Amino acid sequence: MSSDRAGMRFTVAAVFLILHGYMGCGPDHWQTWLAGQLRAKGERVAYPDLPDPEHPRRAASRAAFADTIEDGATVIAHSLACLVWLDHCADPVCPARPERVLLVAPPSRAGAPDALAEFFPVPLDAGRVAAAAGSTRLACAPDDPYCPEDAALLYGAPLGLDADLLPGAAHVNPESGYGPWPGVEAWCYGASASTSSRIAPG
């Protein structure tokens, strides 16, 4: 099986693991763009469809993630996938340890659709999050309607995460101009994800 969106198991270890949020990602989403950019540079990329993206279940999503993660990988999670990662971190025996993790626009219970209610409460254990990866970073916008409390305050502060704030980016999706996003590609190669390298909508 290839390291494409064909399933959750891969015969080649994924260097970059891109995990989508609720309802998946379409062709205009920055995660799809990022997968294409990385592959064009010869990187190994896993961009799987998580189980039942339109009707996700907490246990199934966590199990699928645990089965996919690779030691030393770089993980880029958006929206609901951030909650799956934090849930994964709560496991005292994580099966693998990625080198770097980027959490983009995690939602809150106050902003998330009712269909995602079972993903809350989210475990916020700074020690386990720190132990689960070499480093974990947050990128979010204070105007995200899916996290009206501001993810930097709700998640970043209690977990002690470095955060890149993206004013005006809302949920950091195509609707807010995040199709091509050079900043996240730069982060994949060692830079921080910042608004300075974002491509404006249109």
Side-chain angles (χ1 to χ4, degrees):
M1 186 176 292
S2 71
S3 59
D4 209 328
R5 298 172 67 99
M8 295 306 300
R9 293 181 182 273
F10 304 92
T11 56
V12 177
V15 174
F16 293 96
L17 174 59
I18 301 174
L19 297 170
H20 65 74
Y22 179 46
M23 305 290 283
C25 290
D28 297 329
H29 198 284
W30 63 266
Q31 287 191 306
T32 303
W33 174 87
L34 178 62
Q37 291 291 109
L38 295 174
R39 286 172 177 155
K41 292 178 171 63
E43 307 292 355
R44 288 175 289 166
V45 180
Y47 185 23
D49 286 317
L50 294 176
D52 204 2
E54 296 186 2
H55 306 282
R57 292 293 176 262
R58 185 171 186 166
S61 296
R62 177 171 170 171
F65 178 83
D67 191 49
T68 304
I69 192 65
E70 302 278 356
D71 280 325
T74 293
V75 177
I76 304 102
H78 179 249
S79 191
L80 179 61
C82 299
L83 309 189
V84 177
W85 166 253
L86 294 175
D87 210 20
H88 168 81
C89 292
D91 187 341
V93 185
C94 294
R97 188 174 187 268
E99 180 61 30
R100 303 168 74 222
V101 174
L102 180 66
L103 305 177
V104 181
S108 70
R109 182 64 190 97
D114 288 342
L116 305 184
E118 71 176 75
F119 287 86
F120 300 93
V122 180
L124 298 178
D125 187 318
R128 291 202 185 279
V129 170
S135 65
T136 301
R137 192 170 191 88
L138 174 68
C140 59
D143 61 327
D144 186 349
Y146 292 98
C147 189
E149 303 94 329
D150 188 345
L153 300 177
L154 186 65
Y155 295 108
L159 292 174
L161 301 180
D162 288 331
D164 288 297
L165 304 181
L166 309 172
H171 198 49
V172 196
N173 56 15
E175 288 73 23
S176 55
Y178 282 78
W181 184 12
V184 75
E185 183 183 7
W187 178 85
C188 287
Y189 289 107
S192 70
S194 68
T195 54
S196 64
S197 55
R198 177 194 169 205
I199 294 180

